[in-house]
Amino acid sequence: MVGPSWVGVTRQTILAIEAGKYAPSLPLAFRIAKAFDVGVEDVFQYHNGVEPS
């Protein structure tokens, strides 16, 4: 199972990312994608600065 320790962050950080309250740095985004063996674009989406509805 992939967990926060696999990417070097706390559970609270992962929860904040999932809730949209924290935008990860690029290195963290790439570590998260690598932990799931997918591309960063498969995990994160950029909405041109607009909050998704």
Side-chain angles (χ1 to χ4, degrees), residues 2-3 6 18 26-27 31-32:
V2 175
W6 284 44
E18 289 176 342
L26 281 175
R31 288 195 312 268
I32 292 170

Side-chain angles (χ1 to χ4, degrees), residues 26-39:
L26 281 175
L28 176 54
F30 281 106
R31 288 195 312 268
I32 292 170
K34 185 176 179 181
F36 288 99
D37 197 30
V38 297

Side-chain angles (χ1 to χ4, degrees), residues 5-30:
S5 63
W6 284 44
V7 294
V9 298
T10 65
R11 184 176 66 85
Q12 288 81 7
T13 300
I14 297 297
L15 291 172
I17 292 169
E18 289 176 342
K21 297 181 180 199
Y22 175 75
S25 65
L26 281 175
L28 176 54
F30 281 106

